[in-house]
Amino acid sequence: MRELGNLWKLRHQNIVQLLGYCYEIKHEVMDFCGKLVPAENIYRCLCFEYMNNRSLDKHLYDEGCGHDWQTRYKIIKGTCEGLKYLHEGLESPMYHLDLKPENILLDKNMVPKIADFGISKLIHIDQTQTATQTYLGTRGYQPPEYIENNLISNKYDIFSLGVVMIRIITGYAGYYRKDSMSSQEFIDLVHENWRKKLQATSGCVSLEAECHQVRRCVEIALDCVQDNRKERPTIGFGNLKKVIRSTESAVNTELL
């Protein structure tokens, strides 16, 4: 019911579309403390648009294989747009609180749509942070302030977004490479790996422009996973906006 309430008001091209809700009441005789009693079982169902390419976690590959850069960039861009709508496009902001590849669905054109709003929270405009005793999210996508102090804010989703972005760019295991080197070394390594792949790809529109996109996306993703939440960007400010705008003229990408 929480997910139904959260989804009912959402209308955006990068949010999975709720099509309907239905339920069935089934009358049954059940055993209760050794006695047979009449009971009602309620079966509920949410109906969503069909997403041909399933969830993003089925499409995470390292730089050397899988989808080309523009497909990955399209997924990053659309996910950022969907999260921007949740944080800034509603009368009261909504925090997703479980953003991960399994909850990003892909349609037949590989357009990403954020899904699974079962634990999302609507936040009053004057409420920037809150604490909770309820376990939220998924290990590996939770920020340090939540793990240590149960604190949630818009920076919770930003941390999760950073993890997702790195895994889109480098594959599922690529995220852990950053722990064995400096941020600059990680950026240079990913950038060089993508440059080699793009140089070998006949469909590369503009080598330098796409390499620049790769570097900027990795830099921004690392900003998003800063341990100190105050050092992370917000979805509609500064570097995260550049995720969509950094190479506008070079690749002729449709922008926000």
Side-chain angles (χ1 to χ4, degrees):
M1 294 306 295
R2 180 199 294 271
E3 185 165 11
L4 174 64
N6 287 343
L7 280 166
W8 201 255
K9 59 180 71 66
L10 302 181
R11 295 289 185 273
H12 190 272
Q13 66 269 22
N14 296 114
I15 303 293
V16 68
Q17 183 65 55
L18 176 67
L19 301 180
Y21 163 75
C22 59
Y23 70 91
E24 176 187 6
I25 299 177
K26 188 174 182 181
H27 296 274
E28 299 177 321
V29 176
M30 304 183 67
D31 182 277
F32 181 73
C33 297
K35 296 181 179 181
L36 294 179
V37 297
E40 290 184 349
N41 272 338
I42 301 178
Y43 300 90
R44 298 182 176 92
C45 179
L46 296 177
C47 301
F48 298 94
E49 61 181 316
Y50 181 65
M51 304 298 287
N52 304 62
N53 282 308
R54 303 179 295 168
S55 55
L56 175 60
D57 61 300
K58 307 296 192 300
H59 300 267
L60 295 179
Y61 308 97
D62 65 25
E63 303 95 318
C65 60
H67 295 295
D68 62 15
W69 170 249
Q70 283 307 310
T71 299
R72 301 191 199 207
Y73 182 74
K74 178 180 182 179
I75 296 171
I76 291 172
K77 176 177 177 287
T79 303
C80 288
E81 290 176 338
L83 191 60
K84 184 177 188 295
Y85 170 75
L86 295 177
H87 284 195
E88 300 184 354
L90 301 170
E91 183 176 346
S92 294
M94 180 182 291
Y95 301 163
H96 187 278
L97 304 178
D98 198 19
L99 189 67
K100 58 183 178 180
E102 291 85 344
N103 289 338
I104 299 172
L105 306 183
L106 302 166
D107 72 6
K108 63 182 180 180
N109 298 315
M110 297 300 287
V111 173
K113 304 199 178 192
I114 299 173
D116 195 349
F117 289 80
I119 62 173
S120 301
K121 287 185 177 292
L122 286 170
I123 306 296
H124 295 298
I125 294 176
D126 59 349
Q127 183 183 6
T128 58
Q129 63 185 54
T130 184
T132 179
Q133 298 303 314
T134 305
Y135 187 83
L136 302 173
T138 301
R139 184 178 294 276
Y141 299 89
Q142 301 160 320
E145 69 272 11
Y146 174 77
I147 296 172
E148 296 168 5
N149 300 308
N150 293 326
L151 184 67
I152 61 173
S153 69
N154 59 347
K155 299 301 181 69
Y156 185 117
D157 285 343
I158 297 299
F159 184 92
S160 304
L161 175 66
V163 179
V164 170
M165 287 175 63
I166 292 173
R167 286 181 168 159
I168 291 172
I169 299 167
T170 67
Y172 185 82
Y175 177 76
Y176 300 106
R177 278 186 284 170
K178 70 178 182 58
D179 296 330
S180 61
M181 60 187 76
S182 69
S183 294
Q184 192 57 55
E185 288 173 330
F186 180 73
I187 293 167
D188 291 341
L189 174 64
V190 175
H191 178 262
E192 185 58 30
N193 287 345
W194 268 106
R195 177 176 286 277
K196 291 177 182 177
K197 179 177 181 178
L198 291 169
Q199 285 175 330
T201 303
S202 59
C204 180
V205 178
S206 171
L207 176 63
E208 293 308 319
E210 294 193 20
C211 285
H212 179 64
Q213 276 185 334
V214 171
R215 179 176 289 276
R216 291 299 296 129
C217 284
V218 178
E219 291 171 347
I220 292 164
L222 290 178
D223 284 343
C224 290
V225 295
Q226 294 277 357
D227 286 343
N228 184 346
R229 66 186 179 90
K230 295 181 179 179
E231 294 180 2
R232 297 174 211 148
T234 57
I235 190 64
F237 177 76
N239 283 341
L240 266 173
K241 292 177 75 174
K242 294 175 186 175
V243 131
I244 338 177
R245 298 181 176 175
S246 60
T247 54
E248 174 183 3
S249 58
V251 295
N252 193 28
T253 303
E254 181 182 355
L255 306 178
L256 277 175

Coordinates of all heavy atoms in Angstrom, one line a residue, residues 13-15 49-61 65-81 101 104-114 168:
Q13 N 9.3 10.2 -17.5 CA 9.8 9.2 -18.5 C 10.8 8.3 -17.9 O 11.1 7.2 -18.5 CB 10.3 9.9 -19.7 CG 11.6 10.8 -19.5 CD 11.3 12.2 -19.2 OE1 10.1 12.5 -18.7 NE2 12.2 13.1 -19.4
N14 N 11.4 8.6 -16.8 CA 12.4 7.8 -16.2 C 12.0 7.2 -14.9 O 12.8 6.8 -14.0 CB 13.8 8.5 -16.0 CG 14.4 8.9 -17.3 OD1 14.5 10.1 -17.6 ND2 14.7 8.0 -18.2
I15 N 10.7 7.1 -14.7 CA 10.1 6.4 -13.5 C 9.1 5.4 -14.1 O 8.3 5.7 -14.9 CB 9.3 7.4 -12.6 CG1 10.2 8.5 -12.1 CG2 8.7 6.6 -11.4 CD1 11.3 8.1 -11.2
E49 N 4.0 -1.0 -16.5 CA 4.4 -1.1 -17.9 C 5.4 -2.2 -18.1 O 6.2 -2.5 -17.2 CB 4.9 0.2 -18.5 CG 6.1 0.7 -17.8 CD 6.6 2.0 -18.3 OE1 6.6 2.2 -19.5 OE2 7.0 2.9 -17.5
Y50 N 5.4 -2.9 -19.2 CA 6.3 -4.0 -19.5 C 7.7 -3.4 -19.9 O 7.8 -2.6 -20.8 CB 5.8 -4.9 -20.6 CG 6.7 -6.1 -20.9 CD1 6.9 -7.0 -19.9 CD2 7.3 -6.2 -22.1 CE1 7.7 -8.1 -20.2 CE2 8.1 -7.2 -22.4 CZ 8.4 -8.2 -21.5 OH 9.2 -9.3 -21.7
M51 N 8.7 -3.9 -19.2 CA 10.1 -3.4 -19.5 C 10.9 -4.6 -20.2 O 11.3 -5.5 -19.5 CB 10.8 -3.0 -18.2 CG 10.0 -1.9 -17.5 SD 9.8 -0.4 -18.4 CE 11.5 0.3 -18.3
N52 N 11.0 -4.5 -21.5 CA 11.6 -5.6 -22.3 C 12.9 -6.1 -21.9 O 13.2 -7.3 -21.9 CB 11.6 -5.1 -23.8 CG 10.3 -4.7 -24.3 OD1 9.7 -3.7 -23.8 ND2 9.8 -5.3 -25.3
N53 N 13.8 -5.1 -21.5 CA 15.2 -5.5 -21.2 C 15.5 -5.7 -19.7 O 16.6 -5.7 -19.3 CB 16.1 -4.4 -21.8 CG 16.3 -4.6 -23.3 OD1 16.6 -5.7 -23.8 ND2 16.0 -3.5 -24.0
R54 N 14.4 -6.0 -18.9 CA 14.6 -6.4 -17.5 C 15.3 -5.3 -16.7 O 15.2 -4.1 -17.0 CB 15.2 -7.8 -17.4 CG 14.5 -8.9 -18.2 CD 15.2 -10.2 -18.1 NE 16.5 -10.1 -18.8 CZ 17.4 -11.1 -18.6 NH1 17.2 -12.1 -17.9 NH2 18.6 -11.0 -19.2
S55 N 16.0 -5.7 -15.7 CA 16.7 -4.8 -14.8 C 18.2 -4.6 -15.2 O 18.8 -5.4 -15.8 CB 16.6 -5.2 -13.4 OG 17.1 -6.6 -13.2
L56 N 18.7 -3.5 -14.7 CA 20.1 -3.0 -15.1 C 21.1 -4.1 -14.6 O 22.1 -4.2 -15.3 CB 20.3 -1.7 -14.5 CG 21.8 -1.1 -14.6 CD1 22.1 -1.0 -16.1 CD2 21.9 0.2 -13.9
D57 N 20.9 -4.8 -13.5 CA 21.9 -5.7 -13.0 C 22.2 -6.8 -14.0 O 23.2 -7.4 -14.0 CB 21.5 -6.3 -11.7 CG 20.2 -7.1 -11.8 OD1 19.2 -6.4 -12.1 OD2 20.2 -8.3 -11.5
K58 N 21.3 -7.0 -15.0 CA 21.5 -8.1 -16.0 C 22.4 -7.5 -17.2 O 22.8 -8.3 -18.1 CB 20.2 -8.5 -16.6 CG 19.1 -9.0 -15.6 CD 19.6 -10.2 -14.9 CE 18.4 -10.8 -14.1 NZ 17.8 -10.0 -13.1
H59 N 22.8 -6.2 -17.1 CA 23.5 -5.6 -18.2 C 24.8 -4.9 -17.7 O 25.3 -4.0 -18.3 CB 22.6 -4.5 -18.8 CG 21.4 -5.1 -19.4 ND1 21.3 -5.5 -20.7 CD2 20.2 -5.3 -18.9 CE1 20.0 -5.9 -21.0 NE2 19.3 -5.8 -19.9
L60 N 25.3 -5.4 -16.6 CA 26.6 -4.8 -16.0 C 27.8 -5.5 -16.5 O 28.0 -6.7 -16.1 CB 26.5 -4.7 -14.5 CG 25.4 -3.8 -13.9 CD1 25.5 -3.9 -12.4 CD2 25.6 -2.4 -14.4
Y61 N 28.6 -4.9 -17.3 CA 29.8 -5.5 -17.9 C 31.0 -4.5 -17.7 O 30.8 -3.3 -17.5 CB 29.6 -5.7 -19.4 CG 28.4 -6.5 -19.8 CD1 27.3 -5.8 -20.2 CD2 28.3 -7.9 -19.7 CE1 26.1 -6.5 -20.6 CE2 27.2 -8.6 -20.1 CZ 26.1 -7.9 -20.5 OH 25.0 -8.6 -20.8
C65 N 33.8 -5.3 -22.6 CA 32.7 -6.0 -23.3 C 31.3 -5.4 -23.0 O 31.3 -4.4 -22.2 CB 32.7 -7.5 -22.9 SG 32.4 -7.8 -21.1
G66 N 30.3 -5.9 -23.5 CA 29.0 -5.4 -23.2 C 28.6 -4.2 -24.0 O 29.1 -4.0 -25.1
H67 N 27.7 -3.4 -23.4 CA 27.2 -2.2 -24.2 C 28.2 -1.1 -24.5 O 29.2 -1.0 -23.7 CB 26.0 -1.6 -23.4 CG 24.9 -2.5 -23.2 ND1 24.1 -3.0 -24.3 CD2 24.3 -3.1 -22.1 CE1 23.2 -3.8 -23.8 NE2 23.3 -3.9 -22.5
D68 N 28.0 -0.4 -25.5 CA 28.9 0.7 -25.9 C 28.7 1.8 -24.9 O 27.8 1.9 -24.1 CB 28.7 1.1 -27.4 CG 27.3 1.7 -27.6 OD1 26.5 2.0 -26.6 OD2 26.9 1.8 -28.8
W69 N 29.6 2.8 -25.1 CA 29.6 4.0 -24.2 C 28.3 4.7 -24.2 O 27.7 5.1 -23.2 CB 30.8 4.9 -24.4 CG 30.6 6.1 -23.5 CD1 30.4 7.4 -24.0 CD2 30.6 6.2 -22.1 NE1 30.2 8.3 -22.9 CE2 30.4 7.6 -21.8 CE3 30.8 5.3 -21.1 CZ2 30.3 8.0 -20.5 CZ3 30.7 5.7 -19.8 CH2 30.4 7.0 -19.5
Q70 N 27.8 5.0 -25.4 CA 26.6 5.9 -25.5 C 25.4 5.2 -24.9 O 24.5 5.9 -24.3 CB 26.3 6.2 -27.0 CG 27.2 7.3 -27.5 CD 27.2 8.6 -26.6 OE1 26.2 9.1 -26.3 NE2 28.4 9.1 -26.3
T71 N 25.3 3.9 -24.9 CA 24.2 3.2 -24.3 C 24.3 3.3 -22.7 O 23.4 3.6 -22.0 CB 24.2 1.7 -24.6 OG1 24.0 1.6 -26.0 CG2 23.1 1.0 -23.9
R72 N 25.5 3.2 -22.2 CA 25.8 3.3 -20.8 C 25.5 4.8 -20.4 O 24.9 5.0 -19.3 CB 27.2 2.9 -20.4 CG 27.5 1.5 -20.8 CD 28.8 1.0 -20.2 NE 29.3 -0.2 -20.9 CZ 30.1 -1.1 -20.3 NH1 30.4 -1.0 -19.1 NH2 30.5 -2.1 -21.0
Y73 N 26.0 5.7 -21.2 CA 25.8 7.1 -20.8 C 24.3 7.5 -20.8 O 23.8 8.2 -20.0 CB 26.5 8.0 -21.9 CG 26.4 9.5 -21.6 CD1 27.1 10.1 -20.6 CD2 25.5 10.3 -22.4 CE1 27.0 11.5 -20.3 CE2 25.4 11.6 -22.2 CZ 26.2 12.2 -21.1 OH 26.0 13.6 -20.9
K74 N 23.5 6.9 -21.8 CA 22.1 7.1 -21.8 C 21.4 6.6 -20.5 O 20.5 7.2 -20.0 CB 21.5 6.3 -23.0 CG 20.0 6.4 -23.2 CD 19.6 5.6 -24.5 CE 18.2 5.6 -24.8 NZ 17.8 4.9 -26.0
I75 N 21.9 5.5 -20.0 CA 21.3 4.9 -18.8 C 21.7 5.8 -17.6 O 20.8 6.1 -16.7 CB 21.8 3.5 -18.6 CG1 21.3 2.6 -19.7 CG2 21.4 2.9 -17.2 CD1 21.9 1.2 -19.7
I76 N 22.9 6.3 -17.5 CA 23.3 7.2 -16.5 C 22.5 8.5 -16.5 O 22.0 8.9 -15.5 CB 24.8 7.5 -16.6 CG1 25.7 6.3 -16.3 CG2 25.2 8.7 -15.7 CD1 27.2 6.5 -16.6
K77 N 22.4 9.0 -17.7 CA 21.7 10.3 -17.8 C 20.2 10.1 -17.4 O 19.7 11.0 -16.7 CB 21.8 10.7 -19.3 CG 21.0 12.0 -19.7 CD 21.2 12.3 -21.1 CE 20.4 13.5 -21.6 NZ 19.0 13.2 -21.8
G78 N 19.6 9.1 -17.9 CA 18.1 8.9 -17.6 C 17.9 8.6 -16.1 O 16.9 9.1 -15.5
T79 N 18.8 7.9 -15.5 CA 18.7 7.6 -14.0 C 18.9 8.9 -13.2 O 18.1 9.1 -12.3 CB 19.8 6.6 -13.6 OG1 19.6 5.4 -14.3 CG2 19.6 6.3 -12.1
C80 N 19.8 9.8 -13.6 CA 20.0 11.1 -13.0 C 18.7 11.9 -13.2 O 18.2 12.6 -12.2 CB 21.2 11.8 -13.6 SG 22.8 11.1 -13.1
E81 N 18.1 11.9 -14.3 CA 16.9 12.7 -14.6 C 15.7 12.2 -13.7 O 14.9 13.0 -13.2 CB 16.5 12.6 -16.1 CG 17.5 13.4 -16.9 CD 17.1 13.2 -18.4 OE1 16.5 12.2 -18.8 OE2 17.6 14.1 -19.2
P101 N 21.0 -1.4 -9.2 CA 20.7 -1.8 -10.5 C 19.5 -2.7 -10.6 O 18.8 -2.7 -11.6 CB 22.0 -2.7 -10.9 CG 23.1 -2.0 -10.1 CD 22.4 -1.6 -8.8
I104 N 16.4 -0.5 -11.3 CA 16.4 0.3 -12.5 C 16.1 -0.6 -13.7 O 16.9 -1.5 -14.0 CB 17.8 1.0 -12.7 CG1 18.1 1.9 -11.5 CG2 17.8 1.8 -14.0 CD1 19.5 2.5 -11.5
L105 N 14.9 -0.4 -14.2 CA 14.4 -1.2 -15.3 C 14.7 -0.6 -16.7 O 14.8 0.7 -16.8 CB 12.9 -1.5 -15.2 CG 12.5 -2.1 -13.8 CD1 11.0 -2.4 -13.8 CD2 13.3 -3.4 -13.5
L106 N 14.8 -1.4 -17.7 CA 15.2 -0.9 -19.1 C 14.1 -1.3 -20.1 O 13.8 -2.5 -20.2 CB 16.6 -1.4 -19.5 CG 17.7 -1.1 -18.5 CD1 18.9 -2.0 -18.8 CD2 18.1 0.4 -18.6
D107 N 13.6 -0.3 -20.8 CA 12.6 -0.6 -21.8 C 13.3 -1.1 -23.1 O 14.5 -1.4 -23.2 CB 11.7 0.6 -22.1 CG 12.3 1.7 -22.9 OD1 13.5 1.6 -23.3 OD2 11.7 2.8 -23.0
K108 N 12.5 -1.3 -24.2 CA 13.0 -1.9 -25.4 C 14.1 -1.0 -26.1 O 14.9 -1.5 -26.8 CB 11.9 -2.2 -26.4 CG 11.2 -0.9 -26.9 CD 10.0 -1.2 -27.8 CE 9.3 0.0 -28.2 NZ 8.2 -0.3 -29.2
N109 N 14.1 0.3 -25.7 CA 15.1 1.2 -26.3 C 16.3 1.5 -25.3 O 17.0 2.4 -25.5 CB 14.5 2.5 -26.7 CG 13.5 2.3 -27.8 OD1 13.7 1.6 -28.8 ND2 12.3 2.9 -27.6
M110 N 16.3 0.7 -24.2 CA 17.3 0.8 -23.2 C 17.2 2.1 -22.4 O 18.2 2.7 -21.9 CB 18.8 0.7 -23.7 CG 19.1 -0.7 -24.4 SD 18.9 -2.0 -23.2 CE 20.4 -1.8 -22.2
V111 N 16.0 2.7 -22.4 CA 15.7 3.8 -21.5 C 15.5 3.4 -20.1 O 14.7 2.5 -19.9 CB 14.4 4.6 -22.0 CG1 14.0 5.7 -21.1 CG2 14.6 5.1 -23.4
P112 N 16.2 3.9 -19.1 CA 16.1 3.5 -17.8 C 14.9 4.1 -17.0 O 14.6 5.2 -17.3 CB 17.4 4.0 -17.1 CG 17.7 5.2 -17.9 CD 17.3 5.0 -19.3
K113 N 14.3 3.3 -16.2 CA 13.2 3.7 -15.4 C 13.3 3.2 -13.9 O 13.5 2.0 -13.7 CB 11.9 3.3 -16.0 CG 11.7 3.7 -17.4 CD 10.3 3.7 -17.9 CE 10.2 4.2 -19.3 NZ 8.8 4.5 -19.8
I114 N 13.4 4.1 -13.0 CA 13.5 3.8 -11.6 C 12.3 3.1 -11.1 O 11.1 3.5 -11.4 CB 13.8 5.0 -10.8 CG1 15.1 5.7 -11.2 CG2 13.9 4.7 -9.3 CD1 15.5 7.0 -10.6
I168 N 27.9 1.0 -13.7 CA 27.5 1.1 -15.2 C 28.7 1.3 -16.0 O 28.9 0.7 -17.1 CB 26.5 2.2 -15.4 CG1 25.2 1.9 -14.7 CG2 26.3 2.5 -16.9 CD1 24.2 3.1 -14.7

